[in-house]
Amino acid sequence: MTDTNATERELTEAEKRENVIRLAFDGDPAKLDTFIQLIKKYLPENTGVVLRGSAVTGFRWKDKAPFDADGPGTSDLDLTLVGHRVLEYYKITGFFVPGVHSRPLSDED
C-alpha cells in the first residue's frame, strides 16, 4: 500500500488483502490460500470467518504500532467466526486459555 493517508480512510478490499499477504504471509499469496483451506477444513458447516486487526490494517488500533512492531512473528491473526454452529463448541460458563482471547463479542467485552 503506498497511500500514507490509509489510516485516515477506509481501506479497499484489495488493499486489505495486500496487507494480509505482505504482513502475515511473507508476501506469498499461496501461503494465504493454504491458510484459508486449513481453516475451512476445521470449521463447522455454514460458518464464516472474518480476518480483522493489524494484519488487515497494518497497525494496532490501540496504539497505532505497526504489525509485528515487537519483532517478526510477534503479531497474531485475529479471526472472528460467524454463524450459529460454532456456538456449539463454546461452554456457556466459558473458560480461560492464557494468551488467547476466546470470548464472544458482546457489549461488556
Side-chain angles (χ1 to χ4, degrees), residues 36-52:
I36 291 169
Q37 292 310 310
L38 285 170
I39 295 297
K40 282 182 178 182
K41 182 177 178 179
Y42 294 99
L43 284 177
E45 189 175 296
N46 297 320
T47 300
V49 178
V50 178
L51 181 59
R52 311 168 46 242

Side-chain angles (χ1 to χ4, degrees), residues 1 3-11 15 57 59:
M1 186 173 65
D3 186 350
T4 57
N5 293 323
T7 59
E8 299 172 12
R9 64 170 174 78
E10 183 69 28
L11 296 172
E15 289 171 326
T57 64
F59 59 92

Side-chain angles (χ1 to χ4, degrees), residues 11-26:
L11 296 172
T12 67
E13 292 302 313
E15 289 171 326
K16 292 174 187 178
R17 181 177 173 80
E18 178 184 314
N19 280 348
V20 169
I21 292 169
R22 178 175 48 84
L23 296 170
F25 296 99
D26 299 320

Side-chain angles (χ1 to χ4, degrees), residues 79-105:
L79 298 179
T80 298
L81 304 181
V82 181
H84 72 280
R85 292 275 322 279
V86 73
L87 296 177
E88 297 170 11
Y89 296 87
Y90 282 85
K91 289 176 66 174
I92 193 70
T93 57
F95 57 90
F96 177 69
V97 179
V100 175
H101 176 73
S102 60
R103 294 164 35 160
L105 186 61

Side-chain angles (χ1 to χ4, degrees), residues 64-75:
K64 305 296 186 228
F67 184 84
D68 272 354
D70 298 324
T74 58
S75 289

